Amino acid sequence: MDSESQDRVNAAPSVTAFDHIRLDVADIDVAERFYADALGLSSVVRYDLADRVILQMAPDGRPAGVELWQERDLVPDPHPTHHVAFRVADVPALVEHIRALGYRIVTEPYRIAQETVAFVADPDHHTIELNDFLGRPTAGAPA
């Protein structure tokens, strides 16, 4: 690529941050309880429309997070290999909290390199990864 083309690419508008991912849910209230009680997420914004309810939830009530979407005649159909990942401080402790609430643990905590990872399921069978991400570089940190 010549320098003029590279300058155009560098000057082009770009994404500034990740905001949310949509998860279809059968019952917005049941889903909200899971994301609030099991994961500790807070509401960002809620839209109650004629044919759907959209509820965005995130850590500390600020994106990035999940957008729970309940729509008339929509049946959630999560893909078995897709998942949403959240950074957590203590994976085993959060898994025990989620288990005590009666939710399904998909994969018990395990180590991969320096990270501890576990997978749980929300009420609509979306897979949620819990990861401490220890040992993985963060933005701006040297690799």
Side-chain angles (χ1 to χ4, degrees):
M1 184 179 302
D2 64 31
S3 64
E4 184 178 321
S5 297
Q6 186 62 48
D7 288 344
R8 278 196 306 272
V9 169
N10 291 339
S14 65
V15 171
T16 60
F18 177 75
D19 191 78
H20 67 268
I21 187 166
R22 173 180 160 168
L23 298 176
D24 296 333
V25 301
D27 184 317
I28 198 77
D29 297 323
V30 169
E32 181 178 20
R33 275 193 301 279
F34 170 82
Y35 285 93
D37 297 347
L39 300 183
L41 302 188
S42 301
S43 176
V44 175
V45 64
R46 180 180 176 130
Y47 302 104
D48 289 282
L49 306 171
D51 63 342
R52 64 189 169 276
V53 178
I54 303 165
L55 173 61
Q56 195 176 115
M57 298 185 76
D60 300 321
R62 295 175 302 182
V66 293
E67 183 177 80
L68 307 175
W69 188 288
Q70 176 188 323
E71 187 171 338
R72 185 180 313 130
D73 300 325
L74 177 69
V75 176
D77 186 23
H79 191 280
T81 64
H82 294 178
H83 68 271
V84 176
F86 288 100
R87 181 184 307 260
V88 303
D90 186 334
V91 173
L94 185 55
V95 166
E96 289 311 312
H97 170 73
I98 292 167
R99 186 188 325 276
L101 292 173
Y103 296 108
R104 186 168 69 93
I105 309 305
V106 175
T107 304
E108 295 290 338
Y110 66 94
R111 299 281 294 171
I112 181 167
Q114 297 176 17
E115 301 173 29
T116 302
V117 180
F119 293 89
V120 299
D122 78 0
D124 293 286
H125 310 290
H126 297 286
T127 302
I128 308 299
E129 176 183 339
L130 308 173
N131 193 324
D132 61 17
F133 292 100
L134 296 177
R136 196 183 290 184
T138 59

